Amino acid sequence: MAKSSKVRGPLSVLVEDPQGRSLGLELPPGALIDRPGRRGWGVGRRVEPLLWVSDEAVGVGALAAHRSPALAAAGLQAVLFQGRRGLERWWQDREFSPERMSDPDDHHVEPVLREFWSRVVPDPEEGEGEDGEQLIAPFGRDWPGLAEDGPEGSKGSVGSDGSDDPDALACDLADALIASGFLPSPRLALVPAGRGADVLTAAGWCGPTNFENDTALISTVLRSWEDRFGARVVALGFDELHVSVAAPPRTTAHALPVAAEHFAFSPDNIWQGSGSIRAYADEAVTGSNHWGFWWD
């Protein structure tokens, strides 16, 4: 999806304006990450960098300070990057492959999730009979279809206290994850993308590689969750994704088909986590403003 251009993009501005003041920002010290196989801004070259990452960990309030309408208008999205043991700075190890990703505009969410479901649903011919049925109950092997939208009034509007604003909630979740130590040393990252769901594809993030090589399909699902549940991408790890949710399901009946979508999207959440769609719906979907995913 991400393509180089002769037009100077927003990240290129940071070469001469490291704090991003011309973009209305006050960035901490950081570095531009070049596209794989490209050297970026050498003599006589004008190749737009892939993304920008802060040199040091950021604290509570960092995402809110940089996730603004002005930043989005400049064509940038702010997210957090989190390392893990042995991969503390995975973004410096060329863990991006934007050239192999397709365009989310070329895909539709239901066919994507239907295909994902067909990959992970238990097969009775492989000896996954009764246990497999319990794992996906109350659904059968056929794709159950998309879940209904989240509660109205929580996906894009702002309540009197601001609590219904999906972007404000994303910043609140980032603060909570940092303050609790769930994200112990997050870096601030800026990625050229038109919407948060597309950050994964624009960066060429390879977190789901063991499940799906084309991150555009992951972005396609996230776009739909943005529209249906007020979801926003908050943080990326080497193989983890954390999303805030402004309009989560409030009942088990609504949460179950959402849990089925999550199983299709990230089966390890259930295979190596809750153990069944029913348990996962209760534990991780109903009323939850934080959806986390990982791919083993």
Side-chain angles (χ1 to χ4, degrees):
M1 173 185 172
K3 301 176 181 178
S4 61
S5 173
K6 294 182 180 179
V7 177
R8 193 173 189 183
L11 285 180
S12 303
V13 173
L14 299 182
V15 175
E16 298 174 355
D17 177 18
Q19 290 184 295
R21 287 173 177 164
S22 61
L23 300 176
L25 304 173
E26 284 288 342
L27 294 174
L32 293 164
I33 304 296
D34 293 334
R35 295 176 179 278
R38 305 288 182 88
R39 292 188 177 182
W41 283 72
V43 176
R45 298 178 61 88
R46 284 181 175 265
V47 178
E48 178 70 4
L50 182 64
L51 51 88
W52 175 94
V53 185
S54 65
D55 290 338
E56 302 296 334
V58 296
V60 169
L63 195 62
H66 297 94
R67 203 165 192 170
S68 65
L71 185 71
L76 292 170
Q77 299 290 329
V79 297
L80 300 176
F81 282 177
Q82 176 60 53
R84 71 179 193 189
R85 186 181 298 275
L87 292 165
E88 286 79 6
R89 294 173 180 258
W90 53 267
W91 50 89
Q92 293 181 342
D93 296 330
R94 300 300 179 187
E95 295 291 345
F96 301 104
S97 297
E99 73 285 348
R100 84 179 188 203
M101 309 306 172
S102 62
D103 190 330
D105 285 345
D106 295 335
H107 307 287
H108 299 281
V109 63
E110 184 137 30
V112 169
L113 283 173
R114 184 185 297 112
E115 166 60 22
F116 286 176
W117 177 265
S118 71
R119 298 183 196 175
V120 302
V121 69
D123 187 347
E125 295 184 2
E126 303 245 345
E128 300 171 333
E130 186 174 344
D131 289 344
E133 291 176 0
Q134 293 176 357
L135 185 146
I136 61 173
F139 307 108
R141 296 191 68 248
D142 292 337
W143 163 240
L146 293 180
E148 295 181 359
D149 292 5
E152 288 299 321
S154 298
K155 291 173 289 185
S157 61
V158 182
S160 58
D161 62 354
S163 60
D164 285 339
D165 177 11
D167 296 305
L169 181 63
C171 296
D172 290 345
L173 177 62
D175 289 348
L177 295 178
I178 294 171
S180 68
F182 191 94
L183 296 178
S185 55
R187 268 48 170 194
L188 178 68
L190 302 182
V191 182
R195 57 192 293 178
D198 291 355
V199 162
L200 289 67
T201 303
W205 182 63
C206 298
T209 292
N210 289 340
F211 176 70
E212 174 54 56
N213 284 324
D214 186 359
T215 307
L217 302 183
I218 304 298
S219 289
T220 297
V221 177
L222 291 171
R223 283 181 171 191
S224 179
W225 289 345
E226 284 181 343
D227 295 339
R228 289 186 288 146
F229 303 106
R232 297 292 186 269
V233 173
V234 171
L236 297 175
F238 176 73
D239 55 6
E240 296 181 13
L241 167 65
H242 298 282
V243 178
S244 64
V245 189
R250 298 300 181 188
T251 66
T252 298
H254 188 189
L256 281 168
V258 177
E261 291 188 25
H262 286 204
F263 177 52
F265 180 79
S266 177
D268 286 321
N269 279 30
I270 292 175
W271 282 341
Q272 301 186 49
S274 300
S276 72
I277 283 178
R278 284 190 188 278
Y280 179 79
D282 290 337
E283 296 169 7
V285 179
T286 306
S288 178
N289 295 115
H290 174 204
W291 291 352
F293 306 95
W294 64 289
W295 294 266
D296 193 359

